[in-house]
Amino acid sequence: MASTPEVALNSAGGKARQMESGYGASPVELKSFSGLDFSLRLLLFAFALSALVVLLTSKQTVTITILTLTITRSAKFTNSPAFVYLLVALSVTTLYSIISLIISAASYRSKSSPSSSSLFKLMVIDLLLAGIMASATGCAGSIAYIGLKGNSHVLWNKICNNFGTFCRHIGGSTLLSLLASAVLLLLVVLSSFTIYRRSR
């Protein structure tokens, strides 16, 4: 017969393993976490992919007549390093969202929650991508604002009065990128809260 200290140690070890794997939580909590995580990652994929497609199609060629002179000009996202930066950030985020969505779907179907170490790794990646997406969105948004309003102090003229379609695509992609950044932050909060609940 096992002694009392051995039983206590075995019990404590079992509880620790349950806390680490997530099986100590109630089925309702596991299902709620898995469902919410899957929904947010699905939203992330939708926003990131939509923003990427809209950005890739942001091209427009116009013909401008000045007095008797006719000039043809083209505008595309590759003309600005800020938009190229946003393109790279969206590409990485879209790829990551697909991978994490598969992991989340597997967790939801098995009705189990990832371990605390796995959650922490996902949280770190989510946080890193949130920072990258936020900075890329800010860069693209500042250039888009100058294109829309111009800057009279440094004699930068607005271009959206001539390149309306291009500017609408850039604005739509920037807005969707902002929503993707917000979803990444929500995922960080969700993972942090879940790890906190397990540590109590």
Side-chain angles (χ1 to χ4, degrees):
M1 181 180 295
S3 62
T4 302
E6 290 177 347
V7 172
L9 286 174
N10 291 334
S11 178
K15 289 181 179 179
R17 286 190 296 271
Q18 285 182 344
M19 182 180 296
E20 174 65 22
S21 63
Y23 292 113
S26 66
V28 176
E29 289 178 344
L30 290 176
K31 186 175 181 180
S32 298
F33 167 78
S34 299
L36 185 55
D37 182 77
F38 177 79
S39 300
L40 288 175
R41 295 193 184 280
L42 185 61
L43 274 178
L44 175 63
F45 171 72
F47 286 145
L49 181 62
S50 299
L52 182 61
V53 171
V54 173
L55 182 62
L56 285 172
T57 57
S58 57
K59 302 176 183 178
Q60 185 181 6
T61 301
V62 298
T63 300
I64 304 173
T65 302
I66 303 176
L67 298 178
T68 59
L69 183 63
T70 301
I71 303 174
T72 300
R73 288 288 183 267
S74 297
K76 49 187 177 180
F77 71 92
T78 53
N79 296 142
S80 172
F83 298 147
V84 175
Y85 176 33
L86 180 61
L87 174 70
V88 174
L90 285 171
S91 300
V92 174
T93 302
T94 301
L95 178 61
Y96 169 71
S97 67
I98 295 173
I99 297 173
S100 62
L101 187 60
I102 294 173
I103 296 173
S104 181
S107 175
Y108 182 73
R109 291 189 63 182
S110 63
K111 298 181 180 180
S112 64
S113 177
S115 64
S116 296
S117 60
S118 298
L119 276 178
F120 180 76
K121 292 174 184 177
L122 285 174
M123 182 185 69
V124 170
I125 299 175
D126 290 339
L127 185 59
L128 178 63
L129 284 179
I132 293 175
M133 281 297 302
S135 64
T137 303
C139 290
S142 63
I143 300 300
Y145 181 81
I146 292 174
L148 179 64
K149 298 293 185 179
N151 191 323
S152 59
H153 300 287
V154 292
L155 303 180
W156 289 346
N157 296 324
K158 60 184 179 180
I159 66 166
C160 288
N161 54 330
N162 294 318
F163 297 94
T165 301
F166 171 75
C167 287
R168 283 192 292 272
H169 276 243
I170 293 297
S173 179
T174 303
L175 177 60
L176 289 169
S177 299
L178 182 62
L179 293 174
S181 303
V183 172
L184 282 166
L185 285 177
L186 289 176
L187 284 168
V188 172
V189 172
L190 177 63
S191 298
S192 302
F193 179 74
T194 304
I195 294 175
Y196 168 74
R197 286 288 302 272
R198 291 182 181 181
S199 64
R200 294 180 61 185

